[in-house]
Short mmCIF file of all heavy atoms in Angstrom, two decimals:
data_model
loop_
_atom_site.label_atom_id
_atom_site.label_comp_id
_atom_site.label_asym_id
_atom_site.label_seq_id
_atom_site.Cartn_x
_atom_site.Cartn_y
_atom_site.Cartn_z
N GLN A 1554 -0.82 -150.35 277.06
CA GLN A 1554 -1.55 -149.23 276.53
C GLN A 1554 -0.77 -147.89 276.73
O GLN A 1554 -0.30 -147.66 277.81
CB GLN A 1554 -2.98 -149.07 277.16
CG GLN A 1554 -3.85 -148.03 276.51
CD GLN A 1554 -5.26 -147.95 277.08
OE1 GLN A 1554 -5.78 -146.86 277.21
NE2 GLN A 1554 -5.79 -149.06 277.41
N SER A 1555 -0.68 -147.07 275.73
CA SER A 1555 -0.06 -145.76 275.86
C SER A 1555 -1.06 -144.74 276.28
O SER A 1555 -2.19 -144.74 275.85
CB SER A 1555 0.56 -145.36 274.55
OG SER A 1555 1.62 -146.29 274.14
N VAL A 1556 -0.54 -143.79 277.09
CA VAL A 1556 -1.50 -142.79 277.65
C VAL A 1556 -0.69 -141.52 277.94
O VAL A 1556 0.46 -141.51 278.34
CB VAL A 1556 -2.18 -143.35 278.95
CG1 VAL A 1556 -1.14 -143.65 279.99
CG2 VAL A 1556 -3.20 -142.33 279.44
N ALA A 1557 -1.32 -140.34 277.67
CA ALA A 1557 -0.74 -139.05 277.93
C ALA A 1557 -1.18 -138.63 279.27
O ALA A 1557 -2.37 -138.46 279.56
CB ALA A 1557 -1.10 -138.04 276.86
N VAL A 1558 -0.22 -138.37 280.20
CA VAL A 1558 -0.50 -137.90 281.53
C VAL A 1558 -0.35 -136.39 281.54
O VAL A 1558 0.70 -135.86 281.31
CB VAL A 1558 0.47 -138.55 282.58
CG1 VAL A 1558 0.08 -138.11 283.94
CG2 VAL A 1558 0.49 -140.04 282.45
N PRO A 1559 -1.49 -135.71 281.79
CA PRO A 1559 -1.44 -134.20 281.66
C PRO A 1559 -0.48 -133.60 282.69
O PRO A 1559 -0.34 -134.06 283.82
CB PRO A 1559 -2.93 -133.78 281.96
CG PRO A 1559 -3.68 -134.99 281.75
CD PRO A 1559 -2.83 -136.16 282.10
N ALA A 1560 0.16 -132.52 282.26
CA ALA A 1560 1.02 -131.72 283.19
C ALA A 1560 0.11 -131.13 284.31
O ALA A 1560 -1.04 -130.84 284.10
CB ALA A 1560 1.72 -130.61 282.43
N GLY A 1561 0.70 -130.99 285.46
CA GLY A 1561 0.03 -130.40 286.57
C GLY A 1561 -0.91 -131.34 287.36
O GLY A 1561 -1.63 -130.92 288.21
N CYS A 1562 -0.84 -132.67 286.96
CA CYS A 1562 -1.71 -133.62 287.60
C CYS A 1562 -1.01 -134.58 288.55
O CYS A 1562 0.13 -134.91 288.29
CB CYS A 1562 -2.44 -134.53 286.56
SG CYS A 1562 -3.70 -133.63 285.62
N SER A 1563 -1.68 -135.04 289.58
CA SER A 1563 -1.29 -136.21 290.31
C SER A 1563 -1.91 -137.41 289.50
O SER A 1563 -3.01 -137.31 288.99
CB SER A 1563 -1.81 -136.20 291.72
OG SER A 1563 -1.29 -135.12 292.46
N ALA A 1564 -1.13 -138.49 289.49
CA ALA A 1564 -1.65 -139.65 288.70
C ALA A 1564 -1.42 -140.96 289.49
O ALA A 1564 -0.37 -141.16 290.16
CB ALA A 1564 -0.82 -139.76 287.39
N GLN A 1565 -2.40 -141.82 289.43
CA GLN A 1565 -2.40 -143.04 290.23
C GLN A 1565 -2.83 -144.20 289.28
O GLN A 1565 -3.88 -144.19 288.67
CB GLN A 1565 -3.36 -143.01 291.34
CG GLN A 1565 -3.32 -144.19 292.32
CD GLN A 1565 -2.30 -144.08 293.35
OE1 GLN A 1565 -1.57 -143.07 293.45
NE2 GLN A 1565 -2.12 -145.11 294.20
N LEU A 1566 -1.91 -145.21 289.15
CA LEU A 1566 -2.29 -146.39 288.37
C LEU A 1566 -2.76 -147.47 289.36
O LEU A 1566 -2.16 -147.68 290.41
CB LEU A 1566 -1.05 -146.93 287.63
CG LEU A 1566 -1.18 -148.28 286.97
CD1 LEU A 1566 -2.14 -148.21 285.79
CD2 LEU A 1566 0.15 -148.81 286.51
N SER A 1567 -3.83 -148.09 289.04
CA SER A 1567 -4.31 -149.23 289.79
C SER A 1567 -4.83 -150.35 288.95
O SER A 1567 -5.22 -150.10 287.73
CB SER A 1567 -5.42 -148.77 290.78
OG SER A 1567 -6.55 -148.31 290.05
N PHE A 1568 -4.83 -151.53 289.43
CA PHE A 1568 -5.42 -152.66 288.70
C PHE A 1568 -5.65 -153.76 289.76
O PHE A 1568 -5.05 -153.82 290.81
CB PHE A 1568 -4.47 -153.22 287.59
CG PHE A 1568 -3.11 -153.52 288.04
CD1 PHE A 1568 -2.76 -154.80 288.52
CD2 PHE A 1568 -2.07 -152.55 287.99
CE1 PHE A 1568 -1.46 -155.11 288.91
CE2 PHE A 1568 -0.80 -152.87 288.40
CZ PHE A 1568 -0.43 -154.15 288.84
N TYR A 1569 -6.63 -154.62 289.39
CA TYR A 1569 -6.88 -155.83 290.25
C TYR A 1569 -6.11 -156.99 289.67
O TYR A 1569 -6.15 -157.25 288.45
CB TYR A 1569 -8.34 -156.10 290.29
CG TYR A 1569 -9.10 -155.18 291.24
CD1 TYR A 1569 -9.57 -153.94 290.80
CD2 TYR A 1569 -9.37 -155.54 292.61
CE1 TYR A 1569 -10.23 -153.08 291.66
CE2 TYR A 1569 -9.99 -154.72 293.42
CZ TYR A 1569 -10.45 -153.46 292.97
OH TYR A 1569 -11.09 -152.60 293.83
N LEU A 1570 -5.43 -157.78 290.51
CA LEU A 1570 -4.62 -158.85 290.08
C LEU A 1570 -4.96 -160.12 290.80
O LEU A 1570 -5.04 -160.11 292.09
CB LEU A 1570 -3.10 -158.54 290.25
CG LEU A 1570 -2.06 -159.67 289.98
CD1 LEU A 1570 -2.10 -160.02 288.50
CD2 LEU A 1570 -0.71 -159.28 290.40
N HIS A 1571 -5.16 -161.21 290.11
CA HIS A 1571 -5.30 -162.53 290.70
C HIS A 1571 -4.20 -163.46 290.13
O HIS A 1571 -3.98 -163.47 288.91
CB HIS A 1571 -6.68 -163.12 290.42
CG HIS A 1571 -6.80 -164.60 290.73
ND1 HIS A 1571 -6.59 -165.07 291.99
CD2 HIS A 1571 -7.03 -165.65 289.93
CE1 HIS A 1571 -6.72 -166.39 291.98
NE2 HIS A 1571 -7.03 -166.76 290.73
N ILE A 1572 -3.54 -164.17 291.00
CA ILE A 1572 -2.58 -165.19 290.55
C ILE A 1572 -2.90 -166.52 291.02
O ILE A 1572 -3.14 -166.71 292.24
CB ILE A 1572 -1.12 -164.78 291.05
CG1 ILE A 1572 -0.78 -163.33 290.67
CG2 ILE A 1572 -0.09 -165.75 290.57
CD1 ILE A 1572 0.51 -162.87 291.35
N ASP A 1573 -3.04 -167.50 290.17
CA ASP A 1573 -3.12 -168.85 290.62
C ASP A 1573 -2.06 -169.69 289.90
O ASP A 1573 -1.57 -169.40 288.90
CB ASP A 1573 -4.55 -169.45 290.49
CG ASP A 1573 -4.86 -169.92 289.09
OD1 ASP A 1573 -4.01 -170.54 288.42
OD2 ASP A 1573 -6.00 -169.68 288.62
N THR A 1574 -1.67 -170.84 290.50
CA THR A 1574 -0.54 -171.52 290.08
C THR A 1574 -0.60 -173.04 290.42
O THR A 1574 -1.33 -173.37 291.38
CB THR A 1574 0.79 -170.98 290.63
OG1 THR A 1574 1.91 -171.62 289.97
CG2 THR A 1574 0.85 -171.16 292.11
N ASP A 1575 0.03 -173.86 289.63
CA ASP A 1575 0.24 -175.25 289.99
C ASP A 1575 1.57 -175.50 290.60
O ASP A 1575 1.95 -176.57 291.04
CB ASP A 1575 0.08 -176.14 288.76
CG ASP A 1575 -1.35 -176.28 288.32
OD1 ASP A 1575 -2.25 -176.02 289.15
OD2 ASP A 1575 -1.58 -176.70 287.16
N GLU A 1576 2.41 -174.42 290.64
CA GLU A 1576 3.69 -174.52 291.31
C GLU A 1576 3.49 -174.70 292.81
O GLU A 1576 2.47 -174.23 293.35
CB GLU A 1576 4.60 -173.27 291.05
CG GLU A 1576 4.78 -172.99 289.57
CD GLU A 1576 5.86 -173.92 288.87
OE1 GLU A 1576 6.33 -174.83 289.55
OE2 GLU A 1576 6.10 -173.70 287.71
N THR A 1577 4.49 -175.20 293.49
CA THR A 1577 4.42 -175.29 294.95
C THR A 1577 5.71 -174.71 295.56
O THR A 1577 6.72 -174.61 294.87
CB THR A 1577 4.32 -176.75 295.47
OG1 THR A 1577 5.39 -177.52 294.94
CG2 THR A 1577 2.97 -177.38 294.96
N GLY A 1578 5.66 -174.28 296.78
CA GLY A 1578 6.79 -173.73 297.46
C GLY A 1578 7.00 -172.24 297.15
O GLY A 1578 6.14 -171.65 296.44
N SER A 1579 8.12 -171.69 297.58
CA SER A 1579 8.37 -170.27 297.42
C SER A 1579 9.33 -169.90 296.34
O SER A 1579 9.71 -168.74 296.16
CB SER A 1579 8.97 -169.75 298.78
OG SER A 1579 10.10 -170.38 299.14
N THR A 1580 9.82 -170.91 295.53
CA THR A 1580 10.69 -170.56 294.44
C THR A 1580 9.94 -169.93 293.33
O THR A 1580 8.88 -170.39 292.86
CB THR A 1580 11.39 -171.83 293.87
OG1 THR A 1580 12.16 -172.45 294.95
CG2 THR A 1580 12.31 -171.51 292.77
N ALA A 1581 10.52 -168.84 292.73
CA ALA A 1581 9.86 -168.11 291.66
C ALA A 1581 10.25 -168.74 290.32
O ALA A 1581 11.40 -168.72 289.90
CB ALA A 1581 10.20 -166.58 291.70
N TYR A 1582 9.25 -169.34 289.64
CA TYR A 1582 9.46 -169.85 288.31
C TYR A 1582 8.80 -169.00 287.26
O TYR A 1582 9.32 -168.92 286.15
CB TYR A 1582 8.85 -171.25 288.22
CG TYR A 1582 9.48 -172.27 289.18
CD1 TYR A 1582 8.81 -172.66 290.35
CD2 TYR A 1582 10.77 -172.76 288.93
CE1 TYR A 1582 9.36 -173.59 291.22
CE2 TYR A 1582 11.29 -173.70 289.77
CZ TYR A 1582 10.61 -174.09 290.95
OH TYR A 1582 11.20 -175.01 291.82
N ASP A 1583 7.73 -168.32 287.53
CA ASP A 1583 6.92 -167.61 286.60
C ASP A 1583 6.80 -166.16 287.12
O ASP A 1583 6.53 -165.95 288.32
CB ASP A 1583 5.60 -168.21 286.36
CG ASP A 1583 5.71 -169.77 286.11
OD1 ASP A 1583 6.56 -170.12 285.31
OD2 ASP A 1583 5.00 -170.50 286.79
N THR A 1584 6.85 -165.13 286.26
CA THR A 1584 6.87 -163.77 286.73
C THR A 1584 5.88 -162.88 285.90
O THR A 1584 5.60 -163.16 284.74
CB THR A 1584 8.26 -163.14 286.65
OG1 THR A 1584 8.68 -163.10 285.28
CG2 THR A 1584 9.26 -163.91 287.46
N LEU A 1585 5.38 -161.85 286.53
CA LEU A 1585 4.65 -160.83 285.86
C LEU A 1585 5.28 -159.45 286.27
O LEU A 1585 5.35 -159.18 287.44
CB LEU A 1585 3.14 -160.80 286.33
CG LEU A 1585 2.36 -159.62 285.76
CD1 LEU A 1585 2.02 -159.91 284.24
CD2 LEU A 1585 1.03 -159.42 286.56
N LYS A 1586 5.70 -158.68 285.27
CA LYS A 1586 6.33 -157.41 285.53
C LYS A 1586 5.37 -156.32 285.11
O LYS A 1586 4.81 -156.34 284.04
CB LYS A 1586 7.61 -157.22 284.78
CG LYS A 1586 8.77 -158.13 285.30
CD LYS A 1586 10.07 -157.83 284.60
CE LYS A 1586 11.18 -158.75 285.22
NZ LYS A 1586 12.47 -158.51 284.54
N ALA A 1587 5.15 -155.32 286.04
CA ALA A 1587 4.34 -154.13 285.70
C ALA A 1587 5.32 -153.01 285.54
O ALA A 1587 6.09 -152.72 286.44
CB ALA A 1587 3.34 -153.83 286.86
N GLN A 1588 5.39 -152.41 284.33
CA GLN A 1588 6.36 -151.41 283.98
C GLN A 1588 5.77 -150.13 283.35
O GLN A 1588 4.66 -150.16 282.79
CB GLN A 1588 7.38 -152.00 283.02
CG GLN A 1588 8.15 -153.19 283.63
CD GLN A 1588 9.10 -153.87 282.62
OE1 GLN A 1588 8.63 -154.23 281.53
NE2 GLN A 1588 10.30 -154.08 283.02
N VAL A 1589 6.58 -149.10 283.36
CA VAL A 1589 6.24 -147.85 282.64
C VAL A 1589 7.35 -147.63 281.66
O VAL A 1589 8.51 -147.65 281.98
CB VAL A 1589 6.15 -146.62 283.63
CG1 VAL A 1589 5.79 -145.39 282.85
CG2 VAL A 1589 5.01 -146.89 284.67
N LEU A 1590 6.97 -147.45 280.38
CA LEU A 1590 7.92 -147.24 279.31
C LEU A 1590 7.73 -145.84 278.68
O LEU A 1590 6.59 -145.32 278.72
CB LEU A 1590 7.76 -148.26 278.18
CG LEU A 1590 8.19 -149.69 278.53
CD1 LEU A 1590 7.34 -150.40 279.55
CD2 LEU A 1590 8.18 -150.52 277.24
#
Side-chain angles (χ1 to χ4, degrees):
Q1554 185 176 144
S1555 295
V1556 60
V1558 184
C1562 286
S1563 296
Q1565 185 86 2
L1566 172 69
S1567 65
F1568 54 89
Y1569 283 86
L1570 175 64
H1571 167 61
I1572 305 173
D1573 80 42
T1574 188
D1575 285 344
E1576 304 283 4
T1577 59
S1579 60
T1580 300
Y1582 298 105
D1583 313 311
T1584 63
L1585 176 74
K1586 292 185 178 182
Q1588 298 175 309
V1589 179
L1590 289 67

